[in-house]
Each structure stands twice: as structure tokens, then as C-alpha cells.
Amino acid sequence: MGSFDLPWEPTPAAAPASPQPDNPASPPTQSPEELKEESRKIRRLQIVVNMVTQVIAQDHTVTVEQASEMVADTRRLALSMFPDKELAFNLIYWPRLQRLMRERYRMQ
């Protein structure tokens, strides 16, 4: 599985060098600890999704029901870690998991 950027992943270019008090629409700056925690959560989610996709793709004893439950659990985990990022999950991970389920179980 390749590496890719997540929309909620902090990028140095996107963060302003200093807070802009005259622009109330700018997002609040995160402390180094908050950035580290967010990066840790992003990496954890990437690992979980990679593990789930590998198990579904490679373990031929996994039934479609078990695979569906793993996908649902992955979604719940992602939304519990990033509650306001459902759209990002739907755009990034959901198509990948759907494609895997279709290919593995010959689903329509």
C-alpha cells in the first residue's frame, strides 16, 4: 500500500507562521503536543486500515460477514478518532475498502 497525504494531516505549508488575530476565519494554531498527538492518531489509523485490507485480501478463511464487520469497525474507529472527518474517510478509505470487498467476494 502506498503512502498518501490525508486531508486532516497537518502540513507545514498550510500552517501560518504566526496567528493572525485580524482574520477570525483562520483555524487556531496547534501546540507541538497537539500536532504530535494528531500525527500519532493519523499513523494509527493508516496502520489499522492497512492491516484490515491485508487480512481481507490474504486470509481466505475470512467470510464476507467478518470482512464487513472489520470494515464497519474500522469506520467506527476512524470516526471516533476524527469525529468531524467523516467526509475525508468517505473520500479516502471507503472507496478502497469497497473495491477490496468487491474484488475479494465478487460483490456488485
Side-chain angles (χ1 to χ4, degrees), residues 12-13 32 39-40 43 50 53 57 59-60 77 80 95 98 101-102:
S39 295
R40 187 190 67 77
R43 183 68 187 134
N50 287 338
T53 56
D59 187 351
H60 296 290
L77 174 69
S80 71
Q98 280 184 321
M101 293 291 288
R102 276 195 312 270

Side-chain angles (χ1 to χ4, degrees), residues 24-81:
S26 67
T29 357
Q30 291 180 317
S31 69
E33 294 83 20
E34 291 171 328
L35 287 172
K36 186 176 179 181
E37 177 66 17
E38 186 174 22
S39 295
R40 187 190 67 77
K41 290 191 321 186
I42 290 167
R43 183 68 187 134
R44 178 177 177 216
L45 179 59
Q46 289 173 333
I47 291 169
V48 168
V49 171
N50 287 338
M51 287 176 58
V52 167
T53 56
Q54 291 300 313
V55 168
I56 292 171
Q58 295 176 2
D59 187 351
H60 296 290
T61 63
V62 175
T63 65
V64 67
E65 292 82 14
Q66 291 170 326
S68 296
E69 188 174 330
M70 287 194 295
V71 168
D73 290 343
T74 302
R75 181 183 180 86
R76 278 192 288 277
L77 174 69
L79 296 180
S80 71
M81 292 169 68

Side-chain angles (χ1 to χ4, degrees), residues 74-98:
T74 302
R75 181 183 180 86
R76 278 192 288 277
L77 174 69
L79 296 180
S80 71
M81 292 169 68
F82 302 99
D84 56 337
K85 299 299 181 184
E86 183 174 5
L87 178 61
F89 181 88
N90 290 341
L91 293 173
I92 296 168
Y93 293 117
W94 194 246
R96 178 177 166 189
L97 295 167
Q98 280 184 321

